[in-house]
Amino acid sequence: MSYYLITLISILFCSPVWAQQIDTWYACYNQDSTLIGYSDAVGKVMIEPKFGAYTTANRFDAIIAVAEMGHTPLSTYYLTKSGRVIGRDSLHLFDNGPDCESEGFIRFRDPVTGLAGLFDRHGDIVIPAEYSDLKRVHNGMIVALKGAKKNRNGEITTWTGGQELLLDTANNILIENFSYNPQLNFFSLQKSTTPPLDSTRASFKGTDGSYYSFVDFKKEFDHWLRTTLLPDLTKEKLNQLTYPQVTWQAVEDWVTSDRSTFIEANFELVKSRLEEITQGEFQGFISSDGLNPFMFNTPDFDDYYNNCGESKDWQYPTMSLIINQDSAAGITQDHLEFLRTAQGYRLLCVTIRSAQLK
């Protein structure tokens, strides 16, 4: 199966283009697909197509960033489901794209100071624009950077100095001097009176005296490999711990097969690569990323993307076991990619350059 970028165009103008959910609105388009509007789950147009440019939300749950066309300069603002317009000219931009709603909240930047704040689903300010930067809300918590110096190198923005904090969505400080790590799973939060002994967790002392601990994805994955997947690995076990479809790199293109077919044909080869991490000095590493939306775009992956089509790597990352192999042509790298699903890690994508998959 060859993969290509699927352009989401509504053939019947304003008809839903995403899997339907009650009360969610879906992006729809005008006749030549140059403007975006929104319709409800049965196709009733709720907002006529009039947005473009910075309007990236494919689904509209509570609040979105929009750019209304036909204005000079471009009219940008936030729009709630009730039709409330707030935050004109204050979009929170990253990598030339606006913020996307997360758990009913969305970030903004004061157009004068450039500082970041947070709107709730009703368009009310719940965190004032007093922070150098804010991460998205994850499990009701948000990482904040305050008092930092902004550095620009072309289109790349970095920060130096300042204080990192962990807040709740009411702007209460949960943890001072919080060291942000993108590998932390905020949905695994545990509070305790003493630091946990679990080696897969990182813990921080909160302002209330409790210890807040979070699972580290990489440590969790490594522990899962060594204690769940690898011991007594059989075809049946690998089949249970594999996504229903496996994508793999053939000689000329990417191919997707059902897991049983793939494992039956390639079990011994995949097993030999997996077992290398327990043999002597392992020549490789674990890499963390998110789902590739151009490759994994069938409806069964919808839950792994947010309303703007971005991979939810803060909850469902992909973990790649990358294995270095020596060959006559030099060092090659084999990749075994696993998706963290609601049921646990599952083998999803395989590239073995040192041998031939089939």
Side-chain angles (χ1 to χ4, degrees):
M1 173 181 175
S2 297
Y3 288 91
Y4 52 91
L5 174 61
I6 296 178
T7 304
L8 297 176
I9 299 176
S10 175
I11 298 175
L12 299 176
F13 307 133
C14 272
S15 60
V17 296
W18 281 77
Q20 296 179 358
Q21 299 174 11
I22 296 174
D23 297 330
T24 296
W25 294 352
Y26 304 87
C28 60
Y29 301 84
N30 62 346
Q31 188 167 4
D32 62 2
S33 299
T34 57
L35 297 176
I36 300 172
Y38 291 90
S39 61
D40 67 11
V42 296
K44 179 182 178 182
V45 177
M46 309 304 292
I47 302 175
E48 292 288 345
K50 62 179 180 179
F51 304 126
Y54 289 119
T55 309
T56 60
N58 297 303
R59 298 188 295 247
F60 187 173
D61 284 332
I63 186 168
I64 58 173
V66 299
E68 191 169 340
M69 308 307 289
H71 298 268
T72 304
L74 189 66
S75 177
T76 62
Y77 53 88
Y78 293 92
L79 182 66
T80 70
K81 208 74 165 292
S82 66
R84 184 181 180 188
V85 173
I86 36 89
R88 287 192 179 275
D89 302 319
S90 63
L91 297 191
H92 184 288
L93 300 176
F94 177 77
D95 197 21
N96 291 322
D99 197 21
C100 193
E101 174 190 337
S102 182
E103 300 179 21
F105 299 90
I106 199 165
R107 298 170 293 177
F108 70 95
R109 284 197 180 276
D110 186 294
V112 176
T113 66
L115 297 177
L118 192 71
F119 288 123
D120 68 8
R121 65 177 55 246
H122 306 294
D124 295 326
I125 295 175
V126 290
I127 294 182
E130 59 186 24
Y131 295 96
S132 303
D133 200 21
L134 294 173
K135 299 297 183 183
R136 284 181 178 151
V137 176
H138 294 151
N139 195 25
M141 294 169 285
I142 187 165
V143 179
L145 178 64
K146 192 168 188 176
K149 180 182 178 182
K150 185 176 183 179
N151 308 292
R152 291 282 293 183
N153 183 8
E155 295 183 355
I156 299 175
T157 299
T158 59
W159 301 93
T160 55
Q163 182 185 21
E164 284 187 294
L165 307 163
L166 185 67
L167 312 174
D168 64 17
T169 54
N171 201 30
N172 297 308
I173 298 175
L174 303 177
I175 302 172
E176 294 181 315
N177 301 313
F178 180 76
S179 180
Y180 174 64
N181 177 357
Q183 296 303 316
L184 297 183
N185 178 4
F186 285 91
F187 295 87
S188 67
L189 170 66
Q190 289 182 1
K191 289 181 66 176
S192 57
T193 56
T194 58
L197 299 178
D198 186 344
S199 62
T200 67
R201 288 184 165 270
S203 63
F204 307 84
K205 191 169 185 178
T207 55
D208 62 356
S210 300
Y211 286 89
Y212 292 66
S213 71
F214 308 91
V215 166
D216 181 299
F217 286 124
K218 281 190 177 180
K219 292 179 179 179
E220 175 189 58
F221 176 66
D222 183 74
H223 184 263
W224 176 84
L225 276 178
R226 297 175 187 276
T227 63
T228 301
L229 178 62
L230 287 175
D232 303 316
L233 183 59
T234 62
K235 286 182 182 179
E236 292 73 23
K237 185 177 185 180
L238 185 59
N239 189 73
Q240 293 173 355
L241 298 176
T242 296
Y243 199 77
Q245 294 82 38
V246 180
T247 298
W248 53 281
Q249 190 169 24
V251 175
E252 297 181 351
D253 208 345
W254 289 97
V255 176
T256 295
S257 306
D258 69 85
R259 61 186 170 196
S260 296
T261 300
F262 175 82
I263 292 171
E264 183 63 33
N266 298 285
F267 173 72
E268 293 300 333
L269 178 56
V270 171
K271 180 181 180 181
S272 70
R273 295 300 182 267
L274 285 169
E275 289 180 338
E276 288 192 28
I277 71 172
T278 62
Q279 298 171 356
E281 294 185 6
F282 170 53
Q283 298 296 313
F285 57 95
I286 293 171
S287 176
S288 175
D289 207 340
L291 271 180
N292 184 332
F294 304 135
M295 292 180 66
F296 304 105
N297 47 34
T298 51
D300 56 304
F301 289 107
D302 282 355
D303 288 344
Y304 300 102
Y305 298 101
N306 69 4
N307 286 358
C308 300
E310 300 166 323
S311 173
K312 294 165 68 173
D313 55 9
W314 54 87
Q315 190 171 9
Y316 303 115
T318 57
M319 291 290 171
S320 292
L321 180 62
I322 301 175
I323 307 163
N324 297 328
Q325 301 286 348
D326 292 323
S327 68
I331 295 177
T332 61
Q333 290 186 326
D334 297 335
H335 293 241
L336 300 170
E337 182 178 19
F338 296 77
L339 173 64
R340 190 182 192 276
T341 71
Q343 293 74 42
Y345 289 99
R346 296 293 183 266
L347 179 64
L348 177 70
C349 187
V350 179
T351 301
I352 296 183
R353 294 187 173 91
S354 57
Q356 184 60 58
L357 292 165
K358 55 189 177 180

